[in-house]
Amino acid sequence: MGNRLVTKKNNFGNLITTCNTFLSGSIDYLLGNAGAILTYPVTFFANYLVFKAWKKSKLLRSIDFIFYRNIILGFLFSFALNYLAFKYLSQKPIDWKLFFAIAIPAGITFGGTFNTARMYPDNWLMWQFYNVTKIIQNLLLMNVANVAKYAFYLFNAIIGYITWTDDRTKEKSKTDISNTGKDAKSETATSLQNKPIELKSEKIRPK
């Protein structure tokens, strides 16, 4: 429900997602994800920041430097926190296959969540990729319920990309029209200011 509301740019969806993060993290930790105790608090805090950011602005943005920076930060956070958890919080030696299987999707989640705050339509492509990896992962595990869940999330991410991209195009068109109108008014005002004032002199006739 939270993801569907986010697709519609309804900020209440971010609040639901923030609350769900706590539940998901608890389940992941109990299922053996040692890094969950460190990574999910970051996700929880990031989702809350998204909620706060959307209250201030809902401007749809094009990809910029911050978009790529957030992705890099997401993976750095994920690998660092998961390494600390696997190294010092787990009683077993590091299983590197399990480490990367957890750290890579978590990095996508972090980067995607950071970018959701800035409302990039292209960020839905990140979520599409994430959901595809989760579908493949759960197919290998024969977890039909999770396959169905992430298939729905994938469909939602596709719809999100289409609708947000369309909305951004409409917003850009409105902005361009508004700027054109302002430029026209500015040019008119400038031409009026620069136009010389002609004074008609009256001839004084002798009486």
Side-chain angles (χ1 to χ4, degrees), residues 178-193:
S178 177
N179 289 337
T180 302
K182 289 179 180 178
D183 291 341
K185 290 180 181 179
S186 178
E187 288 177 5
T188 303
T190 303
S191 62
L192 289 173
Q193 289 176 357

Side-chain angles (χ1 to χ4, degrees), residues 50-166:
V50 172
F51 174 72
K52 295 283 287 183
W54 279 30
K55 289 177 71 175
K56 295 179 180 178
S57 172
K58 287 189 178 181
L59 175 67
L60 295 173
R61 294 176 169 86
S62 299
I63 290 180
D64 54 14
F65 169 75
I66 297 176
F67 179 85
Y68 296 107
R69 183 204 65 184
N70 287 344
I71 294 174
I72 294 171
L73 286 176
F75 277 98
L76 287 176
F77 270 115
S78 176
F79 278 89
L81 293 174
N82 276 293
Y83 178 79
L84 290 173
F86 273 77
K87 181 71 174 178
Y88 300 106
L89 300 181
S90 177
Q91 297 177 351
K92 302 176 183 178
I94 297 178
D95 181 345
W96 290 106
K97 288 183 180 179
L98 180 61
F99 173 83
F100 285 110
I102 291 173
I104 292 175
I108 298 173
T109 301
F110 285 168
T113 303
F114 296 157
N115 281 329
T116 299
R118 288 178 58 80
M119 299 190 76
Y120 297 104
D122 298 279
N123 192 46
W124 286 107
L125 296 174
M126 288 279 293
W127 292 120
Q128 290 175 34
F129 176 69
Y130 171 79
N131 290 317
V132 168
T133 62
K134 297 300 287 186
I135 288 171
I136 294 171
Q137 183 186 79
N138 284 283
L139 279 172
L140 295 174
L141 295 172
M142 300 299 290
N143 190 331
V144 179
N146 271 352
V147 169
K149 181 180 76 171
Y150 286 107
F152 169 75
Y153 288 164
L154 175 61
F155 175 76
N156 187 70
I158 293 172
I159 296 298
Y161 176 74
I162 294 172
T163 56
W164 281 32
T165 301
D166 185 57

